[in-house]
Amino acid sequence: MTSSIGNAVFFLLLLAVCCVTSTLACDPNGAKFGYIGSVGPAHWGTLSPNFTQCAKGTSQSPIDIWTAGAVYNPALQPLHRDYTVANGTLVDNVFNIGVRFDGGGGNVTIDGKAYRLEQLHWHSPSEHTINGQRFPLELHMVHASDDGNVTVVAMLYRFGRPDPFFLQIQDKLVALYAEGCDAEKGVPVPAGVVSLWPLRLHSHAYYRYVGSFTTPPCTENVVWNVLAQAREMTVDQAAAVMAPLEKAYRRNNRPTQPMNGRVVQVYRFLP
């Protein structure tokens, strides 16, 4: 308990001493987006010609997953996730904190196709909801296939025991935060070799649907796999992963989007 309190105090001190900048996330053409006010999600579609899908798309993410309406599909396969260890780089993307795997972080197989893990990042609070319930944090593991298709494995977190994957990068987050205090945007920080084994747990049931990226340009035809069982992390860990971001981005969840007739499928492991 003493250690937990100490960590919380330490991150509060970091928040107090770091400078405050006015950086906004932007696309390559300079259009800025955020999560509040005139650059918030309700306005994304008008901020840039590249962002029109955010307003006009019909298969947008995130969504509220209504479990009673999810359709069991016996043809769905388990999430075969071939993650081991990989060199990671911790990155402040302005609108979220992520870990990039330049050499790939392993693969997930969807419908017989291999998708390579490119990066993962966090949103707080969660973007997807389950029966209207929002969780403190959501992790997105973004994968790409050789032919350019994208699939995301999403994990919802509630407060509880320490998350073992997060423990590997917690000290590096402090370094990333320190960089952000001296620069308009945090300089990438090598995370070293991290084990991705803990992220393979709790995948005996998941929800699948077709949606989009949850940040501009809101590109569609993304295959989403939302794990049904929530994971756990401590309050301190959740605070630490948001701490390097500017205040306006520490609440970086896009509101849930209309279903527009889409169907959510569910996979359950049946022994």
Side-chain angles (χ1 to χ4, degrees):
M1 178 65 72
T2 301
S3 175
S4 176
I5 295 174
N7 288 339
V9 171
F10 179 66
F11 282 110
L12 286 174
L13 288 173
L14 279 175
L15 287 171
V17 301
C18 284
C19 62
V20 178
T21 67
S22 58
T23 305
L24 288 171
C26 59
D27 77 346
N29 293 327
K32 296 178 173 57
F33 71 90
Y35 288 89
I36 57 176
S38 61
V39 294
H43 304 281
W44 285 352
T46 64
L47 297 177
S48 167
N50 295 331
F51 297 172
T52 55
Q53 284 265 54
C54 301
K56 297 181 178 179
T58 58
S59 299
Q60 291 288 292
S61 296
I63 61 170
D64 176 45
I65 298 173
W66 179 46
T67 57
V71 177
Y72 173 67
N73 183 353
L76 287 182
Q77 298 296 310
L79 287 178
H80 294 293
R81 292 186 285 163
D82 183 21
Y83 305 145
T84 52
V85 296
N87 277 305
T89 302
L90 206 57
V91 183
D92 179 353
N93 293 312
V94 178
F95 53 92
N96 63 41
I97 298 299
V99 181
R100 186 177 65 219
F101 301 100
D102 294 329
N107 299 283
V108 63
T109 301
I110 305 290
D111 295 331
K113 179 185 289 188
Y115 293 78
R116 181 178 60 258
L117 177 62
E118 302 282 354
Q119 53 102 345
L120 54 83
H121 61 267
W122 292 267
H123 292 269
S124 179
S126 72
E127 297 200 298
H128 288 89
T129 56
I130 306 293
N131 298 325
Q133 178 187 358
R134 197 173 300 281
F135 293 77
L137 204 76
E138 181 171 341
L139 173 66
H140 291 169
M141 303 183 70
V142 183
H143 307 71
S145 63
D146 289 339
D147 59 2
N149 291 314
V150 175
T151 191
V152 181
V153 176
M155 304 177 189
L156 304 171
Y157 284 79
R158 61 174 180 264
F159 292 139
R161 295 169 295 182
D163 176 58
F165 172 77
F166 192 86
L167 287 173
Q168 301 176 83
I169 63 169
Q170 195 156 331
D171 290 344
K172 301 298 183 181
L173 276 166
V174 176
L176 185 71
Y177 197 170
E179 292 282 2
C181 291
D182 299 323
E184 187 172 324
K185 180 179 178 182
V187 176
V189 172
V193 176
V194 294
S195 172
L196 297 164
W197 274 85
L199 298 177
R200 298 174 61 177
L201 303 175
H202 307 312
S203 57
H204 293 305
Y206 65 85
Y207 300 100
R208 177 173 294 170
Y209 77 99
V210 177
S212 71
F213 291 135
T214 63
T215 54
C218 306
T219 308
E220 295 188 337
N221 294 320
V222 174
V223 178
W224 282 88
N225 309 274
V226 182
L227 300 193
Q229 182 177 345
R231 299 170 66 89
E232 292 185 1
M233 68 165 27
T234 67
V235 173
D236 285 351
Q237 287 180 325
V241 80
M242 292 291 114
L245 298 173
E246 295 173 28
K247 185 176 181 180
Y249 289 96
R250 289 183 195 142
R251 186 178 181 89
N252 61 353
N253 66 309
R254 185 189 192 192
T256 54
Q257 302 296 302
M259 288 297 295
N260 293 326
R262 285 176 290 172
V263 174
V264 175
Q265 302 178 75
V266 61
Y267 166 83
R268 296 189 186 91
F269 173 72
L270 300 176

